[in-house]
């Protein structure tokens, strides 16, 4: 293991002489933690709306005011007829059309009920669903107000008051940031090792190494350890950014976050090195890694919850190391989960680490 | 030169699919010898050399280098040899000094020993001022000399040189061969492939490979006599024009 020291000196020097890499190590976490949570939000705001007011009454005007005062909606146009509004929807200018019926005010006074039609563009299901929910809420509120004013009904409207645990504001950021940290790591300490060994193959320097008696474990460790340290730096740096920029701090233990990430970085950099060992050139390695990264990210629960996937897909995600770390990071950050509570995430990661580590060493061939 | 055999190949063969790159070659190299390994492009020289260096597994036959079997004990073989590949393979983004320290360390040399040998080597090559120069900014001839010096830095028993003077000017080639002689004087066996027939004349013994087989093996003087010609170029030409394989 004496040679390891010399190999490490070499790897660190090469890493920091490459002017691009250290730049990435700082800029990418910054972009991921600072920018992505702002742009990849699932809150729906600024929905464009067209209203057809067939009634032209005081009550219909009040409804229009209430809707356009909401932070969720912009009143894009008031139309005279449905065709005109539908045309706007077709063109993509608006996503919602509210039609207030002809005898809106009269019906309300006479029967205590009136109709409002909502047309929703559901091409983006999430946007449509949420927007419809918001609209319904506003209309119901308005109905409640009206009945209170008229004294037509004294009974309190039924309302559900949910209590949100762990993330009281249902803020998107504390949920996304811990997961984005894990994704940043895949891009840096998973992807870069994949280009490393194969890069030495392309430059021919691997020949000079292969003809020495250097051990395979030593060589692979010399490739792994620099990414390990860089990965842990990125975790620390991302945590500081999350705290300073968004005020997001873990509810649970920081050492536990590092424990998980030590294992996780080992897993992904081993996978990267394995891909590198099998590849003949950098392009090949990059394509294979790209495939893995996309699949890993999509099936990790980062964007869509695992529990809503079909059973077979849920089973398949067990092969995804990202799944375990994202679950663990979110639980530590939001719920303050402790090690015993996360053991079911920790053990699979460790098994994955052993398999990937052994594979990375075995696939490195000094003699073919 | 002694009578001790340090490289022994018996029916050494490497096959890639249907293509037999090296076809049952047998030869012996004695300790301290400068052994020239000649052949046209695609004759199978590099393949044979890679097997002897423990980089490639023989498909058939066997060979021993420094007393170790190249198929089974390749990591032992590697302890006792130096190798300079056809393609320059030192780290471009490390300095001269850093490359020497790295490979010295890999071969288990102590830092004190590395320092001492490095001072001698840089002195000998006239590289003292380039110690902290990035390897990528050295001229080709200097790179080749450095690569050779690095291949023998850990005092191996045998050094394998694969076309070490390819693309180098005649003056530098001459200097390069002086380095080879100096290494040979220190008792290092030199196994060298080349395309330059003047270089073949510098070797103690020469083998000529044609289409994966060794067609001739003797001292340059004996070969010239055997073929009734006056230069190694004619010997080579007589044998190599029979080759059916082209560039490859």
């Amino acid at each position: 293991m004496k040679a390891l020291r010399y190999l490490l000196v070499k790897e660190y020097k090469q890493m920091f002489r490459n002017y691009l890499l250290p730049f990435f190590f700082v800029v990418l976490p910054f972009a991921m933690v600072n920018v992505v949570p702002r742009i990849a939000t699932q809150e729906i705001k600024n929905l464009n709306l067209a209203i057809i007011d067939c009634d032209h009454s005081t009550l219909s005007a009040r409804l229009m005011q209430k809707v356009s005062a909401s932070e969720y909606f912009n009143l894009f146009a008031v139309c005279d007829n449905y065709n005109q509004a539908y045309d706007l929807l077709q063109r993509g200018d608006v996503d919602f059309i509210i039609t207030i019926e002809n005898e809106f005010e009269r019906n309300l006074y006479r029967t205590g009920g009136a109709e409002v039609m909502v047309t929703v563009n559901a091409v983006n299901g999430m946007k449509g669903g949420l927007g419809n929910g918001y609209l319904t809420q506003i209309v119901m509120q308005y109905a409640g107000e009206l009945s209170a004013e008229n004294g037509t009904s004294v009974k309190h409207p039924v309302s559900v008051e949910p209590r949100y645990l762990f993330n009281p504001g249902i803020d998107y950021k504390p949920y996304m940031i811990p997961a984005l940290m894990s994704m940043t790591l895949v891009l840096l300490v998973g992807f870069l090792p994949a280009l490393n060994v194969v890069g030495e193959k392309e430059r021919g320097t691997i020949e000079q190494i292969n003809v020495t008696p250097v051990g395979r474990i030593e060589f692979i460790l010399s490739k792994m350890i620099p990414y390990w340290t860089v990965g842990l730096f990125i975790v620390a740096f991302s945590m500081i950014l999350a705290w300073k920029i968004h005020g997001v701090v873990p509810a649970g233990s920081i050492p536990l976050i590092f424990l998980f990430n030590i294992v996780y970085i080992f897993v992904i950099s081993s996978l990267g090195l394995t891909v590198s060992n099998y590849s003949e050139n950098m392009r090949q390695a990059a394509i294979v890694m790209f495939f893995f990264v996309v699949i890993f990210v999509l099936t990790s629960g980062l964007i869509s919850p695992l529990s809503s996937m079909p059973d077979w897909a849920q089973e398949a995600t067990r092969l995804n190391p990202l799944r375990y770390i994202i679950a663990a990071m979110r639980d530590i950050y939001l719920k303050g989960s402790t090690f015993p509570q996360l053991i079911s995430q920790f053990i699979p990661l460790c098994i994955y680490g052993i398999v990937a580590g052994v594979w990375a060493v075995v696939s490195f061939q000094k003699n073919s | 030169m002694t009578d001790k055999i340090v490289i022994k190949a018996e029916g050494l063969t490497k096959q890639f699919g249907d293509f037999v790159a090296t076809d049952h070659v047998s030869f012996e190299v004695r300790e301290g010898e400068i052994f020239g390994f000649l052949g046209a492009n695609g004759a199978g020289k590099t393949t044979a050399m890679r097997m002897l260096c423990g980089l490639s597994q023989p498909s058939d036959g066997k060979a021993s280098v420094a007393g170790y079997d190249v198929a089974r004990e390749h990591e032992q073989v590697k302890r006792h040899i130096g190798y300079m590949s056809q393609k320059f393979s030192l780290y471009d983004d490390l300095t001269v000094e850093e490359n020497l320290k790295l490979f010295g360390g890999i071969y288990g040399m102590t830092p004190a020993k590395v320092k001492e040998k490095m001072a001698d080597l840089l002195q000998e090559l006239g590289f003292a001022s380039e110690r902290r120069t990035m390897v990528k900014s050295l001229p080709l001839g200097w790179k080749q000399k450095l690569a050779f010096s690095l291949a023998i830095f850990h005092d191996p028993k045998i050094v394998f040189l694969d076309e070490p003077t390819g693309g180098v000017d005649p003056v530098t080639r001459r200097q390069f061969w002086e380095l080879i002689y100096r290494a040979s004087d220190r008792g290092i066996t030199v196994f060298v492939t080349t395309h330059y027939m003047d270089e073949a004349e510098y070797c103690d013994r020469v083998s000529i490979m044609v289409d994966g087989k060794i067609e001739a093996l003797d001292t340059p003087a004996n070969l010239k006599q055997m073929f009734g010609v006056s230069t190694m170029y004619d010997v080579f030409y007589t044998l190599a024009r029979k080759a059916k394989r082209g560039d490859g």
Side-chain angles (χ1 to χ4, degrees):
Chain A
M1 280 291 169
K2 268 192 202 152
L4 182 59
R5 215 180 76 205
Y6 296 95
L7 288 166
L8 280 175
V9 170
K10 166 209 161 226
E11 292 295 334
Y12 278 112
K13 280 191 172 144
Q14 289 183 311
M15 184 180 274
F16 289 101
R17 271 175 201 170
N18 182 327
Y19 64 96
L20 211 56
L21 290 186
F23 178 74
F24 270 140
F25 297 153
V26 175
V27 169
L28 197 64
F30 184 78
M32 284 298 233
V33 174
N34 184 23
V35 183
V36 176
R38 296 178 203 273
I39 54 179
T41 172
Q42 281 176 355
E43 279 173 333
I44 307 278
K45 280 181 189 160
N46 301 323
L47 298 167
N48 284 330
L49 179 79
I51 296 185
I52 308 156
D53 183 3
C54 304
D55 197 36
H56 297 290
S57 63
T58 326
L59 287 187
S60 71
R62 266 179 70 187
L63 176 61
M64 271 165 66
Q65 258 174 19
K66 279 204 89 68
V67 173
S68 49
S70 148
E71 62 167 320
Y72 299 113
F73 295 100
N74 292 332
L75 181 57
F76 185 82
V78 178
C79 303
D80 295 332
N81 57 57
Y82 190 76
N83 284 345
Q84 200 188 345
Y86 189 75
D87 197 43
L88 288 176
L89 192 138
Q90 280 281 6
R91 290 212 309 249
D93 289 336
V94 302
D95 287 307
F96 297 86
I97 302 169
I98 298 181
T99 316
I100 302 171
E101 67 170 336
N102 216 341
E103 305 275 287
F104 182 75
E105 192 175 79
R106 243 182 71 189
N107 286 343
L108 263 180
Y109 284 129
R110 206 190 295 154
T111 66
E115 283 186 0
V116 172
M117 181 172 83
V118 177
T119 312
V120 181
N121 170 12
V123 168
N124 180 340
M126 174 115 71
K127 195 166 150 187
L130 277 172
N132 188 29
Y134 296 150
L135 265 183
T136 313
Q137 225 174 352
I138 294 168
V139 174
M140 291 301 286
Q141 246 173 27
Y142 181 53
E145 257 172 51
L146 284 181
S147 57
E149 281 168 21
N150 299 333
T152 48
S153 159
V154 280
K155 54 179 187 243
H156 295 288
V158 181
S159 71
V160 180
E161 284 285 333
R163 262 186 69 228
Y164 297 106
L165 294 176
F166 311 123
N167 187 1
I170 329 193
D171 190 353
Y172 190 63
K173 283 170 191 159
Y175 177 69
M176 280 314 277
I177 288 170
L180 285 170
M181 289 179 192
S182 306
M183 195 179 131
T184 313
L185 287 174
V186 172
L187 293 177
L188 289 174
V189 298
F191 217 106
L192 293 175
L195 302 179
N196 191 311
V197 179
V198 74
E200 290 218 26
K201 280 187 207 172
E202 276 189 2
R203 270 172 280 145
T205 51
I206 199 85
E207 283 274 283
Q208 207 63 50
I209 290 289
N210 282 346
V211 85
T212 69
V214 72
R216 292 199 283 177
I217 296 178
E218 279 174 285
F219 185 73
I220 291 300
L221 275 180
S222 81
K223 294 289 180 195
M224 175 112 56
I225 291 169
Y227 292 107
W228 223 341
T229 51
V230 165
L232 292 176
F233 160 78
I234 290 169
V235 173
F237 182 54
S238 305
M239 284 173 68
I240 292 170
L241 287 176
W243 169 44
K244 290 289 176 194
I245 298 174
H246 302 291
V248 172
V249 287
S253 127
I254 292 174
L256 188 58
I257 290 178
F258 277 91
L259 176 69
F260 265 93
N261 277 291
I262 284 171
V263 182
Y264 168 67
I265 295 166
F266 182 85
V267 170
I268 53 172
S269 54
S270 297
L271 283 178
L273 287 171
T274 306
V275 168
S276 203
N277 286 336
Y278 282 112
S279 304
E280 273 157 29
N281 52 56
M282 296 229 274
R283 196 172 359 159
Q284 213 178 59
I287 290 169
V288 173
M289 252 349 249
F290 192 73
F291 169 81
F292 275 119
V293 168
V294 169
I295 298 287
F296 279 171
V297 168
L298 288 179
T299 61
S300 64
L302 175 81
I303 301 159
S304 39
L306 293 173
S307 51
S308 49
M309 293 179 187
D311 287 345
W312 59 266
Q314 284 190 41
E315 288 302 315
T317 61
R318 288 181 193 283
L319 290 172
N320 182 353
L322 214 60
R323 166 198 163 142
Y324 304 105
I325 187 75
I326 285 183
M329 287 291 279
R330 280 177 174 162
D331 281 357
I332 299 171
Y333 251 88
L334 291 157
K335 292 200 287 192
S337 298
T338 57
F339 186 68
Q341 292 164 331
L342 293 171
I343 198 85
S344 63
Q345 315 290 354
F346 191 70
I347 288 174
L349 264 187
C350 287
I351 295 171
Y352 215 121
I354 294 166
V355 173
V358 169
W359 201 358
V361 170
V362 171
S363 59
F364 176 60
Q365 289 292 340
K366 286 182 70 193
N367 176 284
S368 54
Chain B
M1 206 191 303
T2 64
D3 286 337
K4 198 177 151 198
I5 305 292
V6 288
I7 303 175
K8 187 181 173 77
E10 290 170 272
L12 193 63
T13 302
K14 181 79 183 189
Q15 199 167 348
F16 300 102
D18 289 338
F19 179 74
V20 187
T22 304
D23 192 358
H24 296 89
V25 300
S26 302
F27 59 89
E28 289 175 349
V29 178
R30 289 191 285 266
E31 190 171 36
E33 197 172 22
I34 300 179
F35 188 86
F37 205 57
L38 275 54
N41 292 330
K45 302 183 303 281
T46 300
T47 309
M49 189 181 258
R50 286 175 56 83
M51 284 191 278
L52 294 175
C53 292
L55 289 172
S56 171
Q57 276 289 327
S59 317
D60 194 16
K62 60 179 185 177
S64 72
V65 171
Y68 298 100
D69 186 276
V70 298
R72 288 178 291 108
E73 301 165 306
H74 43 83
E75 296 308 294
Q76 286 297 325
V77 168
K78 287 171 187 173
R79 282 181 196 286
H80 298 98
I81 61 164
Y83 171 72
M84 178 179 166
S85 86
Q86 211 169 37
K87 190 177 163 195
F88 182 74
S89 56
L90 299 190
Y91 289 100
D92 260 351
D93 46 359
L94 296 183
T95 64
V96 171
E97 182 180 17
E98 287 162 351
N99 267 293
L100 289 167
K101 279 186 178 166
L102 168 65
F103 285 98
I106 288 178
Y107 283 105
M109 292 165 70
T110 62
K113 174 107 179 162
V114 169
K115 209 174 163 188
E116 180 199 319
K117 286 211 68 172
M118 183 158 65
D120 290 350
L121 185 148
L122 294 173
Q123 184 71 38
E124 194 182 312
L125 293 177
F127 269 22
S129 56
E130 306 295 332
R131 215 176 88 186
R132 291 177 207 280
T133 307
M134 286 287 173
V135 165
K136 67 178 150 214
S137 47
L138 293 175
L140 180 68
W142 292 40
K143 279 187 186 174
Q144 298 293 81
K145 282 195 249 177
L146 179 66
F148 175 72
S149 305
L150 205 132
I152 59 165
F153 193 58
H154 56 289
D155 284 321
K157 288 197 173 114
I158 306 154
V159 64
F160 290 88
L161 310 172
D162 196 359
E163 289 178 26
T165 54
V168 168
D169 67 71
V171 177
T172 314
R173 271 205 304 141
R174 190 59 178 268
Q175 290 169 347
F176 196 92
W177 273 88
E178 279 165 22
L179 291 177
I180 293 179
Y181 275 122
R182 241 177 276 169
S184 177
D185 288 343
R186 273 161 55 193
I188 298 176
T189 307
V190 179
F191 187 99
V192 57
T193 73
T194 180
H195 285 306
Y196 297 106
M197 288 308 127
D198 57 327
E199 291 184 356
E201 306 267 6
Y202 301 150
C203 298
D204 294 319
R205 283 195 307 147
V206 165
S207 78
I208 298 176
M209 271 185 95
V210 178
D211 289 351
K213 295 191 175 74
I214 291 185
E215 292 290 326
L217 197 171
D218 214 325
T219 62
N222 287 352
L223 285 175
K224 284 184 272 189
Q225 202 182 3
M226 199 188 305
F227 287 86
V229 293
S230 58
T231 63
M232 274 307 291
Y233 174 81
D234 293 320
V235 174
F236 185 81
Y237 187 72
T238 314
L239 288 169
R241 73 175 167 195
K242 295 192 299 191
K244 291 182 183 66
R245 289 187 199 162
D247 258 280

